[in-house]
Amino acid sequence: MKVTVGVSGGIAAYKAAELVRALQQHALDVHVVMTEAAKQFITPLTFASLTGHKVISSLWASPAADSDANLASAIEHIEEAQTIDALVVAPATAGVLAKFAHGIADDFLTTLYLATTAPVIVAPSMNVNMWQHAATQANLEVLANRSVRIVPPGTGYLACGMTGAGRLADTGAIVEAVLAVLHHRNDLSGETVLITAGGTREALDPVRFLGNRSSGKMGYALAEAAERRGARVILVSAPTALRAPANCELVPVTTTAEMRDAVLSRIDQATIVIKAAAVADYRPVTLSDRKLKRTGPRTIELEPTEDILSEVVARRRVGQLIIGFAAETENAVAHGRDKLLRKGADAIVLNDVSREGIGFDSDRNAVTFLTRHTALDLPEMSKCDLADRILEEILGLRRPSLVVAETDSVIEE
Ligand code: PMT
């Protein structure tokens, strides 16, 4: 597998040589890209000697080259972006993180970031005040929400003479992050994953609807992660403010009935179904064709909607995995397990939505992955990271496992 190490201009640039060697020990074909500033700290010759490959730092062939040569070089370099399995930037300076976050492509490294579809890992390193600055933290949040893996810096004595967070993470931690990303590559290849996301809406009149607080972020994060891991993804989405994930088949719907039709008409294609959508349980019995006037107290009669998850389970194909979500505010595990058994899903991803800062419409989440016999707490993390953890647990359902029976003895399932 081919990994490109991006080196940007910080004092920790010299540690990138150790990273290159450590990655090579895992039989990876390592290439290096440097910013101009990085060359002030360590020479391209060091990396070229270690890797046996030319080190790229400019989009252009050379300042003296003619325009045809420069254009050919730029195209060749960008084509190179399509052949890598991961890009790891270490050290990633505050400037490089800002350029990545804002899509500024003014040198080879930042252009490569925009041009590649491979997973990206960044290991920031900088002065403690720069690390803590609101701008840097905001840029990191943007990148985390774009599925960029962040290997946080360590704390200690910094080259600038200050003490605090900002020291490049240990080489081992960076290598581990790279290997984890590569391990995920294509482990869902051959799977078709149907994911529902967002909150369905049931109209009351032409301007009002019954809805819920789902932003779709959890479902979209799952769709992006599944696609990145090689799955074909069908994303049936209620209205959201999110950009459609690249390379997913997006099926926009509004109501529960539309979501049901969209899901059931595609269900036979799916090997894995993940129902992350928050589906309206009731709809108004009558839909007013005019805006309802304010005329004092009003009673709205509601009828139950279709239970899509139960219908999916009823039509289950051999080998198909069906995963539900549950949003609970009290006795979460008991209610979640009850839902799992009642609906007949293989697992339920349980959200305790009474907790502040996670669940609905936040960028972070913490869940319990519930099966008939197990309850695994996945602690708070970004929805992008959580999506990968959930997919790992789903894939784990395919493997024969040892489970603890009610008697506490271990049985083979
Ligand atoms: O979208 P975000 O802002 O990122 O928030 C994520 C989330 C909290 C919405 C999501 O992670 C979540 O918990 N989704 C499920 C919410 C929900 O509707 O739970 P429920 O307990 O009401 O439903 C249980 C399961 O049955 C769900 O898989 C749901 O999709 C399904 N269902 C529910 C009702 C219905 N009529 N048909 C269904 O298929």
Side-chain angles (χ1 to χ4, degrees):
M1 284 196 176
K2 181 172 166 185
V3 172
T4 292
V5 175
V7 186
S8 61
I11 182 65
Y14 75 95
K15 294 185 183 170
E18 187 185 310
L19 175 64
V20 167
R21 293 306 296 265
L23 291 169
Q24 286 172 327
Q25 279 161 17
H26 291 274
L28 296 168
D29 179 20
V30 183
H31 291 236
V32 173
V33 165
M34 300 177 78
T35 63
E36 285 302 322
K39 292 200 236 166
Q40 301 292 328
F41 294 94
I42 184 165
T43 69
L45 183 60
T46 304
F47 294 115
S49 309
L50 289 175
T51 63
H53 299 298
K54 196 172 98 186
V55 172
I56 309 176
S57 53
S58 170
L59 277 168
W60 315 115
S62 80
D66 65 17
S67 57
D68 283 351
N70 271 331
L71 180 61
S73 166
I75 291 170
E76 188 189 330
H77 289 358
I78 294 305
E79 277 172 359
E80 184 82 355
Q82 311 310 323
T83 67
I84 62 176
D85 293 292
L87 168 64
V88 51
V89 185
T93 59
V96 158
L97 295 173
K99 286 184 191 177
F100 282 6
H102 296 279
I104 297 169
D106 62 356
D107 63 7
F108 187 69
L109 177 59
T110 48
T111 306
L112 179 64
Y113 166 72
L114 284 188
T116 189
T117 53
V120 179
I121 300 124
V122 293
S125 169
M126 64 198 74
N127 157 277
V128 58
N129 291 340
M130 292 170 79
W131 169 251
Q132 286 170 350
H133 198 286
T136 302
Q137 292 302 316
N139 290 333
L140 285 164
E141 198 174 325
V142 168
L143 295 176
N145 290 334
R146 255 184 229 151
S147 305
V148 171
R149 304 281 127 164
I150 295 156
V151 187
T155 301
Y157 181 72
L158 305 175
C160 58
M162 296 175 76
T163 302
R167 203 166 62 179
L168 184 69
D170 288 343
T171 301
I174 304 171
V175 171
E176 209 174 285
V178 174
L179 295 180
V181 156
L182 292 175
H183 174 69
H184 289 164
R185 289 289 263 176
N186 294 328
D187 60 356
L188 284 173
S189 118
E191 305 275 2
T192 297
V193 184
L194 190 154
I195 299 170
T196 67
T200 59
R201 297 175 178 182
E202 305 298 335
L204 281 167
D205 69 15
V207 297
R208 301 184 181 91
F209 58 82
L210 295 178
N212 61 67
R213 291 174 47 215
S214 171
S215 62
K217 287 178 184 173
M218 190 69 245
Y220 277 53
L222 283 160
E224 282 183 19
E227 193 278 331
R228 219 176 34 240
R229 293 166 77 145
R232 173 185 166 221
V233 177
I234 305 171
L235 177 61
V236 178
S237 176
T240 72
L242 303 174
R243 193 169 41 91
N247 306 324
C248 294
E249 187 181 323
L250 181 73
V251 186
V253 297
T254 302
T255 65
T256 302
E258 287 170 10
M259 183 170 275
R260 171 189 177 274
D261 291 348
V263 168
L264 293 186
S265 62
R266 291 167 178 81
I267 199 69
D268 288 343
Q269 302 170 41
T271 53
I272 299 175
V273 183
I274 308 177
K275 294 224 61 262
V279 182
D281 284 315
Y282 290 93
R283 71 166 76 84
V285 171
T286 52
L287 168 63
S288 170
D289 57 2
R290 290 184 201 168
K291 185 179 171 194
L292 295 171
K293 294 283 177 246
R294 182 185 163 95
T295 54
R298 183 186 289 275
T299 301
I300 297 167
E301 195 183 346
L302 301 175
E303 63 183 11
T305 56
E306 302 78 5
D307 184 337
I308 310 170
L309 181 53
S310 297
E311 289 192 55
V312 167
V313 169
R315 290 176 51 163
R316 180 202 295 270
R317 288 193 305 128
V318 177
Q320 196 174 48
L321 288 175
I322 302 174
I323 315 300
F325 267 66
E328 302 292 344
T329 53
E330 62 200 313
N331 298 333
V333 172
H335 285 144
R337 183 148 276 135
D338 174 60
K339 215 164 262 182
L340 172 74
L341 298 176
R342 228 173 347 102
K343 301 214 182 199
D346 295 298
I348 285 274
V349 182
L350 175 65
N351 296 265
D352 180 350
V353 287
S354 64
R355 284 180 54 189
E356 289 270 313
I358 58 168
F360 285 115
D361 199 19
S362 69
D363 293 327
R364 301 178 67 75
N365 207 2
V367 298
T368 304
F369 191 86
L370 276 184
T371 65
R372 276 183 302 139
H373 303 289
T374 59
L376 175 70
D377 286 330
L378 300 177
E380 184 178 330
M381 60 188 102
S382 75
K383 283 184 176 169
C384 292
D385 286 341
L386 186 60
D388 271 317
R389 287 295 290 110
I390 291 170
L391 290 175
E392 269 154 42
E393 293 309 315
I394 293 173
L395 279 175
L397 297 173
R398 286 256 166 80
R399 292 190 283 273
S401 60
L402 292 176
V403 296
V404 179
E406 246 122 69
T407 57
D408 268 3
S409 60
V410 175
I411 59 169
E412 188 93 13
E413 206 183 35

